[in-house]
Amino acid sequence: MRIKEIHVVNIHAVFRIICNIFYFVLPKELRSCVFFHPNDGWKSLHEFIPPAILPQEYGGHLKQSSMINLLEDVEKLEKQFGELFRFGYVKTQNFRQSLRLITSGEDSKLS
């Protein structure tokens, strides 16, 4: 996946100074993709991202209750992926370990 733009919001004043210093060191292509938005009623952020898809804390129209709770979903999906990957991994891991005994025995015979 390619990142088109990076929008930085709610940064501390000290960090903003540091970012401004390093901003000029970045290549021109990267500078055109990085945007810092001050808390000015989120007007600068709304120029790039419509308020209809932003949460209320960033001046948008989405309520917190209507947003996806990623933490719960991540924990549930992590268990599912763990089960799926464990099945194939354990089988192949045991197979590789059993072959290691055979190949290590052949190596000792050759030397």
Side-chain angles (χ1 to χ4, degrees), residues 4-58:
K4 288 187 167 188
E5 295 178 346
I6 299 172
H7 295 271
V8 182
V9 295
N10 283 344
I11 58 174
H12 194 271
V14 174
F15 187 66
R16 186 176 305 159
I17 293 169
I18 294 170
C19 289
N20 286 334
I21 293 170
F22 288 111
Y23 185 75
F24 295 106
V25 177
L26 295 174
K28 188 175 182 180
E29 298 86 28
L30 191 57
R31 273 188 279 169
S32 65
C33 298
V34 178
F35 302 97
F36 295 99
H37 300 286
N39 192 355
D40 59 350
W42 305 115
K43 292 176 186 176
S44 64
L45 181 63
H46 293 168
E47 291 175 9
F48 294 96
I49 303 172
I53 61 172
L54 285 172
Q56 287 180 337
E57 64 181 310
Y58 298 115

Side-chain angles (χ1 to χ4, degrees), residues 57 92 99 102:
E57 64 181 310
T92 57
L99 287 179
I102 295 170

Side-chain angles (χ1 to χ4, degrees), residues 52-66:
I53 61 172
L54 285 172
Q56 287 180 337
E57 64 181 310
Y58 298 115
H61 304 299
L62 289 178
K63 295 181 181 176
Q64 187 69 24
S65 61
S66 67

